[in-house]
């Protein structure tokens, strides 16, 4: 009951904050609504007064919010301030499109995750940590993947529709754009846990009795799924409300696009109804994930009878991180001496050459210089945010009853809406993207921490250690944290490139650094319209971002520690 009340309080606070958004940002809602209705109409005082009277803005935000909340028990979510249509039907129709897209994207993500883990499953966990290809796939921006698929598969080859939303065939390309990166992340998290599952006594006993390899592999996946299902629930909500770029590109009338348009137009009834729908979806997804965890673990989770994974891994290959790090340093060393702002209109969209190794953009600026200089701000800030969110995720993950509902609520907020809320509170500025990203980036790490801790607390060795008189602080320092911190840290490293891209993408939307700043996401977005004519303008920053992702994941292998196999519990990982 306390958890339910806490979740309801968080949802109410978020909805109320959205209802106060125009007044918090000190803007005139009537002026914003007028611009959304007719951009070419002059803001005449009489017209603005008529809009205020029509919408009841003179009554104040609290009265408007009370009216909206009072209509919810009757199924009335208000009417759109822009179109006049009912906010409820608009959101329900958009939610239906997003749920269909999310379901197909989850199938793609499941297939991608299976492909990432195939080698480890085939070899029974006896494999070296790598995943360079999956790391690059996980760091590809969704809007870039969507653009490439639409251009190549939809337009040039004509295999699938590249625009619209009129049937099952129209879901394939956007589902690939959403599912491939998500599946790569989930696959990496699963691949990180499989060696420990294969090293458990039951797996060795099953192999000694001659059980088929496929059956043992299926049980190993089942053993690891309880630690991944909570993060899968976050992906469900994220793909439903956060697929704004993909929905915009493919002209899909989904909930993310609808919520973004309502936020930019300050159409509060639609924005509040869309946010409430995302919060309800987050609660349902979390409940389903918890039920699935209980079904998979059975009474062992309640009785503290889970086996303890030895967390064994083979020796780490150090060559890939060194090669990738050397390539990234070479790009920085070659690009930093160049001027990222120098214009040369006679050299617009030039292909790669000795003078311009990465080519030039639409204004004739050297792309190598812009990529290298953009790394200084974007990458360093992303490192700071990743370290902060890792610490916050670990600390909040230790308090699952507090952080669970909070993470679900935060994850239900699309990143653009989070940036708008931060802008309303702080007034905007260069720190806005960092605050917005940090406000939501801790949620997956806290969820991952809570899921791993829940399993670790239910292990036999911890029950025995507790029975011998070990206190809470001893268990936390010597058993729980050593079992959780390495996996969550590798998870944070896997999300490092995404953090860098999210920072730059918010800056491109005008919520942070302004042109001509050479941020990576800005480079991708600025050059995307020229992808077909000058593909190097998009491929160069995307390739550097992919190298960063591969470097982060392969370097995370150094966090593994070898431990001798055996039935007994050895010294915890330090």
């Amino acid at each position: 009951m306390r958890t339910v009340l806490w979740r309801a309080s968080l949802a109410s606070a978020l909805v109320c904050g959205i209802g106060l958004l125009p007044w918090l940002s000190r803007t005139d809602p009537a002026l914003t609504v007028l611009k959304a209705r007719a951009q070419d109409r002059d803001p005449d005082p009489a017209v603005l007064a008529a809009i205020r009277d029509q919408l009841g803005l003179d009554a104040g935000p609290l009265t408007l919010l009370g009216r909206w909340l009072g209509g919810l028990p009757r199924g009335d979510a208000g009417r759109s301030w822009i179109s006049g249509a009912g906010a409820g039907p608009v959101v329900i129709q958009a939610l239906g499109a997003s749920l269909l897209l999310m379901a197909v994207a989850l199938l793609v993500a499941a297939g991608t995750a299976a492909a990432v883990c195939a080698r480890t499953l085939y070899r029974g966990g006896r494999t070296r940590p790598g995943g360079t290809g999956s790391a690059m796939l996980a760091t590809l921006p969704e809007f870039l993947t969507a653009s490439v698929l639409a251009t190549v598969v939809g337009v040039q080859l004509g295999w699938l529709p590249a625009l619209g939303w009129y049937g099952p065939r129209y879901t394939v390309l956007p589902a690939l754009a959403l599912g491939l990166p998500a599946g790569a992340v989930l696959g990496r998290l699963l691949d990180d846990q499989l060696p420990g599952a294969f090293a458990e006594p039951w797996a060795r006993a099953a192999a000694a009795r001659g059980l088929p390899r496929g059956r043992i592999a299926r049980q190993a996946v089942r053993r690891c799924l309880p630690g991944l299902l909570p993060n899968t629930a976050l992906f469900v909500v994220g793909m439903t409300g956060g697929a704004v770029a993909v929905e915009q590109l493919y002209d899909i009338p989904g909930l993310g696009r609808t919520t973004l348009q309502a936020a930019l137009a300050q159409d509060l009834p639609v924005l509040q109804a869309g946010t409430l729908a995302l919060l309800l979806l987050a609660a349902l997804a979390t409940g389903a994930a918890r039920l699935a965890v209980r079904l998979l673990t059975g009474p062992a989770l309640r009785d503290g009878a889970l086996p303890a994974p030895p967390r064994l891994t083979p020796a780490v290959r150090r060559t890939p991180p060194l090669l990738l790090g050397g390539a990234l340093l070479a790009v920085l060393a070659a690009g930093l001496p160049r001027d990222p702002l120098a214009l040369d209109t006679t050299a617009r969209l030039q292909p790669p050459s000795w003078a311009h190794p990465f080519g030039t953009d639409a204004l004739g600026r050297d792309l190598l210089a812009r990529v290298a200089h953009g790394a200084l701000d974007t990458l360093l800030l992303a490192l700071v945010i990743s370290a902060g969110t890792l610490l916050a995720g670990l600390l909040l993950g230790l308090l699952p009853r507090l952080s669970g509902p909070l993470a679900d609520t935060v994850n239900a907020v699309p990143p653009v809406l989070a940036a708008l809320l931060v802008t309303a509170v702080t007034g905007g500025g260069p720190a806005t993207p960092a605050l917005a990203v940090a406000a939501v980036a801790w949620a997956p790490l806290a969820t991952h921490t809570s899921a791993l801790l829940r399993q670790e607390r239910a292990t036999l060795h911890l029950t025995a250690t507790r029975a011998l008189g070990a206190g809470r602080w001893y268990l936390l320092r010597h058993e729980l944290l050593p079992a959780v911190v390495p996996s969550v840290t590798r998870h944070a490293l896997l999300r490092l490139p995404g953090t860098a891209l999210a920072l730059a993408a918010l800056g491109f939307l005008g919520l942070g650094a302004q042109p001509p700043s050479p941020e990576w996401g800005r480079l991708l977005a600025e050059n995307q319209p020229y992808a077909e004519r000058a593909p190097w303008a998009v491929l160069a920053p995307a390739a550097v971002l992919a190298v960063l992702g591969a470097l982060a994941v392969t370097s995370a292998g150094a966090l593994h520690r070898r431990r001798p196999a055996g039935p007994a519990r050895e010294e915890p990982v330090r």
Side-chain angles (χ1 to χ4, degrees), residues 174-237:
L176 287 172
L178 290 173
L180 289 176
V185 173
L186 291 175
R188 286 297 309 162
L189 295 178
L190 178 60
D191 197 56
D192 183 55
Q193 298 185 29
L194 281 174
F198 277 111
E200 290 181 358
W202 66 266
R204 298 198 297 269
R209 293 184 58 185
L211 266 67
R213 183 183 298 176
R215 185 175 179 182
I216 299 176
R218 288 194 297 270
Q219 293 300 321
V221 171
R222 178 177 177 177
R223 174 69 179 89
C224 298
L225 279 180
L228 296 180
L229 285 175
N231 263 285
T232 305
L234 295 184
F235 273 105
V236 167
V237 182

Side-chain angles (χ1 to χ4, degrees), residues 246-322:
V246 175
E247 292 177 354
Q248 289 276 27
L249 182 64
Y250 288 99
D251 195 23
I252 299 174
L255 186 58
R257 181 184 178 188
T258 301
T259 304
L260 173 62
Q261 292 175 346
L264 296 178
Q266 293 190 352
D267 190 356
L268 294 187
V270 175
L271 179 58
Q272 289 170 316
T275 305
L276 185 61
L278 287 174
L279 291 173
L280 293 176
L281 178 63
L284 292 175
T286 302
R290 290 181 177 177
L291 179 60
V293 169
R294 291 182 179 274
L295 293 176
L296 288 172
T297 55
L301 188 65
R302 180 194 64 227
D303 298 338
L306 286 177
R311 296 186 296 280
L312 299 170
T313 55
V316 178
R317 294 183 297 182
R318 304 190 182 277
T319 303
L322 292 177

Side-chain angles (χ1 to χ4, degrees), residues 384-386 388-389 392 410 422 432-443 499 503 506:
V384 174
I385 293 177
S386 297
T389 54
V410 167
V422 171
T432 298
L435 293 175
V437 173
V440 299
W442 62 268
T499 301
L503 287 169
L506 290 177

